[in-house]
Amino acid sequence: MAQKDHDLTAEQWASLQDEWGGCAYCGAAGPGLQKDCMLPISRGGRYTLDNVVPSCRSCNSSKCNAELTTWMRRKKLDERLFLERHYLIRQRLAE
């Protein structure tokens, strides 16, 4: 992990949590949301604004290092809604 370039700032993380308003996957609210890399670090992902979303402990543990869309389909989560929201949030934060 130390060999990867991680550039997510505390301000960006706070903005991501505000924009998502809870777990990016299941919508669960509350304190203790975790940084989840959509592309896991073990698969080449990094802690960056493009790759990190807030996740509840349950979703983060369940996803582990699985490929995002495969995991979402297995859990019967709304993949399209997630991807659309991710795109819109990223656009807003890039402004």
Side-chain angles (χ1 to χ4, degrees):
M1 190 162 126
Q3 296 174 352
K4 297 286 183 182
D5 183 27
H6 303 282
D7 62 5
L8 184 71
T9 67
E11 181 180 82
Q12 289 171 325
W13 172 237
S15 294
L16 281 169
Q17 291 179 84
D18 289 343
E19 288 286 334
W20 282 99
C23 177
Y25 304 122
C26 73
L33 292 174
Q34 303 173 347
K35 295 174 188 162
D36 182 57
C37 290
M38 295 184 311
L39 176 63
I41 291 171
S42 64
R43 294 178 182 246
R46 302 179 300 131
Y47 284 107
T48 64
L49 187 59
D50 288 333
N51 193 44
V52 170
V53 295
S55 176
C56 68
R57 181 182 308 260
S58 177
C59 284
N60 199 7
S61 295
S62 172
K63 182 177 163 284
C64 191
N65 70 340
E67 193 274 326
L68 178 65
T69 55
T70 301
W71 173 77
M72 290 189 84
R73 290 172 188 164
R74 187 178 76 238
K75 297 294 281 184
K76 296 184 178 21
L77 295 169
D78 192 335
E79 177 185 354
R80 181 178 178 156
L81 177 63
F82 169 82
L83 294 172
E84 288 173 351
R85 284 198 66 207
H86 181 261
Y87 174 79
L88 293 173
I89 288 170
R90 283 295 297 116
Q91 292 295 88
R92 282 196 297 268
L93 293 179
E95 295 175 346

